[in-house]
Amino acid sequence: MSKKNNNKEIGLRIQSLRETFDLQQAELADKININRSVLNRIENGTRPLRDDEIKKIADFFEVSADYLLGRKHSEKVELDNKDTVMTYQGKVIPKEDLEVIRRFLRGGKSE
């Protein structure tokens, strides 16, 4: 895989995380202290990530650098964590639905 294609995939992964958290580019850029135009170029795959940016983004979204870089296709998710944001087909699963899923996985038992 070429570096350009890899940068594009990384950018799409970051964009997907940002949208999952319902953030605009400017909001994320502000939260991780980088320029919005830099984030835009990263998401578009026209600028590679620097090491410090990988750390900032991974820390913010609580994912591994390997996940951001495409070395892992998914992150292990702890469903018991009430702060977990999960998606299905690109849409965030509401907290109420997550509780139904948790109850199902516990065999129908409440906590």
Side-chain angles (χ1 to χ4, degrees):
M1 176 182 303
S2 73
K3 282 189 175 191
K4 189 172 188 174
N5 286 341
N6 193 39
N7 288 342
K8 184 66 176 169
E9 287 185 25
I10 292 167
L12 289 172
R13 192 166 291 223
I14 293 168
Q15 180 181 357
S16 176
L17 285 166
R18 178 178 57 75
E19 289 172 352
T20 297
F21 280 73
D22 199 28
L23 293 170
Q24 298 295 315
Q25 273 187 348
E27 293 173 301
L28 176 58
D30 185 53
K31 290 178 184 296
I32 62 174
N33 198 30
I34 66 171
N35 188 288
R36 190 205 61 78
S37 65
V38 169
L39 180 58
N40 181 271
R41 291 194 311 270
I42 290 169
E43 285 189 4
N44 287 326
T46 59
R47 181 189 177 282
L49 277 168
R50 295 189 326 223
D51 292 345
D52 63 315
E53 294 163 342
I54 294 170
K55 183 177 179 350
K56 286 177 182 181
I57 294 169
D59 287 350
F60 179 81
F61 289 117
E62 297 180 347
V63 297
S64 69
D66 281 343
Y67 175 75
L68 278 183
L69 297 174
R71 295 180 181 161
K72 289 174 68 177
H73 292 289
S74 64
E75 281 291 305
K76 179 181 173 188
V77 176
E78 186 57 51
L79 197 55
D80 285 337
N81 181 348
K82 300 287 188 199
D83 295 324
T84 297
V85 175
M86 294 186 67
T87 62
Y88 179 73
Q89 297 181 338
K91 296 181 180 156
V92 174
I93 299 172
K95 290 190 182 283
E96 311 80 56
D97 293 348
L98 282 176
E99 185 51 44
V100 171
I101 294 168
R102 286 184 190 100
R103 196 169 35 245
F104 174 79
L105 293 172
R106 288 190 300 263
K109 301 174 188 163
S110 295
E111 286 187 298

